[in-house]
């Protein structure tokens, strides 16, 4: 099972690396906005997939913690709890960043007058994206230090 999952991640990485320049080339004729926004849409969907995968990993961590508590190794249990906390923080950051970027890109692709009227909303979601990104890294740093 782990080998198959690893293969899926490797294939996903290769497809992801190849798709960004491909999307840019495909949407070059559609205009500057579509050329810029299409790869960002892909990135936001990938962030949402990472958040979903992190939730599946959380379930695995909980199952391992239930199993390891009967063994009596507190060092292993503490380490697993640490990784579970880090996984939760990264999942939350990826979800917030993915949703913010997705909404911001949707506003960018809407009609020009709508995008001009909703400039505040677009800027708000980009600031949320940046704040979530910074908060994820800061929280990860503080948890690893403590």
């Amino acid at each position: 099972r782990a080998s198959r999952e690893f293969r899926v991640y490797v294939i996903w990485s290769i497809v992801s690396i190849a798709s960004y320049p491909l999307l840019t080339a495909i949407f070059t004729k559609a205009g500057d906005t579509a050329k810029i926004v299409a790869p960002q849409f892909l990135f936001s969907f990938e962030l949402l997939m990472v958040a979903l995968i992190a939730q599946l990993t959380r379930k695995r961590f909980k199952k391992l913690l239930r199993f390891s508590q009967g063994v009596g190794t507190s060092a292993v249990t503490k380490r697993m709890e640490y990784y579970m906390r880090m996984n939760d923080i990264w999942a939350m950051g990826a979800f917030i960043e993915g949703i913010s970027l997705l909404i911001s890109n949707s506003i960018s692709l809407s009609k020009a007058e709508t995008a001009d009227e909703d400039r505040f909303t677009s800027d708000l979601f980009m600031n949320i994206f940046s704040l979530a990104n910074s908060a994820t890294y800061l929280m990860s740093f503080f948890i690893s230090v403590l």
Side-chain angles (χ1 to χ4, degrees):
R1 175 182 169 150
S3 176
R4 183 176 30 185
E5 186 175 347
F6 181 74
R7 281 190 218 130
V8 168
Y9 292 149
V10 169
I11 291 170
W12 181 15
S13 298
I14 292 169
V15 168
S16 178
I17 290 169
S19 63
Y20 285 101
L22 186 64
L23 279 174
T24 304
I26 290 171
F27 286 99
T28 298
K29 296 176 185 174
D32 287 338
T33 304
K35 178 179 150 181
I36 294 169
V37 172
Q40 291 179 359
F41 261 120
L42 177 62
F43 181 65
S44 63
F45 285 122
E46 285 184 348
L47 282 173
L48 292 173
M49 287 298 297
V50 166
L52 178 68
I53 290 170
Q55 290 305 311
L56 297 173
T57 305
R58 178 178 174 54
K59 289 180 182 180
R60 288 182 183 168
F61 276 134
K62 284 182 121 178
K63 185 178 177 182
L64 280 171
L65 278 173
R66 280 195 307 265
F67 177 73
S68 68
Q69 287 182 2
V71 177
T73 55
S74 63
V76 172
T77 303
K78 286 182 183 180
R79 182 62 70 173
M80 290 293 294
E81 289 171 351
Y82 165 78
Y83 284 122
M84 195 164 95
R85 281 195 312 264
M86 292 297 279
N87 184 56
D88 290 345
I89 289 170
W90 284 96
M92 180 179 57
F95 181 75
I96 292 171
E97 291 173 30
I99 290 293
S100 299
L101 193 59
L102 183 69
I103 292 171
S104 178
N105 287 331
S106 298
I107 292 171
S108 296
L109 281 181
S110 63
K111 294 180 182 176
E113 61 269 2
T114 306
D116 290 337
E117 291 171 6
D118 287 342
R119 189 70 193 158
F120 173 77
T121 307
S122 178
D123 289 344
L124 175 69
F125 283 113
M126 285 311 294
N127 286 330
I128 290 172
F129 173 81
S130 298
L131 183 65
N133 195 0
S134 300
T136 301
Y137 287 112
L138 283 174
M139 288 172 47
S140 299
F141 172 75
F142 287 122
I143 285 180
S144 64
V145 170
L146 299 176

